[in-house]
Amino acid sequence: ANDREEYSWVEQHGMEGGGWHYTGMFCSVPRSTNPGTFFTPSGEDMREIQKKMNTKMHPGHFIDEHHIPCSISLRNNNTWRWMYHQSNCSEGRAVVCELLSVKQDTE
């Protein structure tokens, strides 16, 4: 998602069921708590996206390039909506990545 409006759409149309979902943001070199330093598989500029999303990591959580390379988001939870949890990417959670084209095709 590139802004809060798009994220809200993705949360309702792209995230199935409840629970945690991988956000499609992976790795930060060096380790960081700032989503503006994270990477996406599609190469989107997270510095620009972060300006619009204004999200944060849970206090004490970070993303790195080795042991904790993923961020996850909890669907339909006001406490976690704009805050991510760290993950090692091996929990078998649902993935949300590149839903913008789906949104545009359905409007």
Side-chain angles (χ1 to χ4, degrees):
N2 291 308
D3 58 39
R4 285 187 169 211
E5 179 183 0
E6 183 180 332
Y7 179 87
S8 295
W9 187 93
V10 168
E11 187 178 63
Q12 297 309 310
H13 297 91
M15 294 180 170
E16 296 180 1
W20 295 95
H21 291 71
Y22 293 119
T23 62
M25 296 178 288
F26 304 93
C27 299
S28 181
V29 180
R31 158 173 129 166
S32 178
T33 61
N34 176 5
T37 67
F38 300 170
F39 293 95
T40 66
S42 58
E44 294 170 281
D45 188 343
M46 285 301 299
R47 295 169 299 186
E48 294 302 315
I49 292 171
Q50 175 60 6
K51 289 176 188 176
K52 296 180 245 175
M53 289 282 289
N54 193 28
T55 57
K56 60 185 176 182
M57 291 296 291
H58 184 272
H61 288 214
F62 60 86
I63 298 297
D64 66 16
E65 74 275 23
H66 296 294
H67 306 292
I68 313 283
C70 291
S71 63
I72 56 178
S73 178
L74 184 57
R75 180 178 188 232
N76 289 337
N77 183 296
N78 288 331
T79 300
W80 285 95
R81 183 159 283 125
W82 311 116
M83 183 169 47
Y84 302 132
H85 195 286
Q86 65 188 17
S87 167
N88 64 16
C89 300
S90 63
E91 298 98 345
R93 301 186 190 284
V95 176
V96 176
C97 188
E98 297 305 310
L99 284 174
L100 178 58
S101 61
V102 174
K103 179 183 178 197
Q104 291 171 341
D105 291 343
T106 61
E107 291 182 339

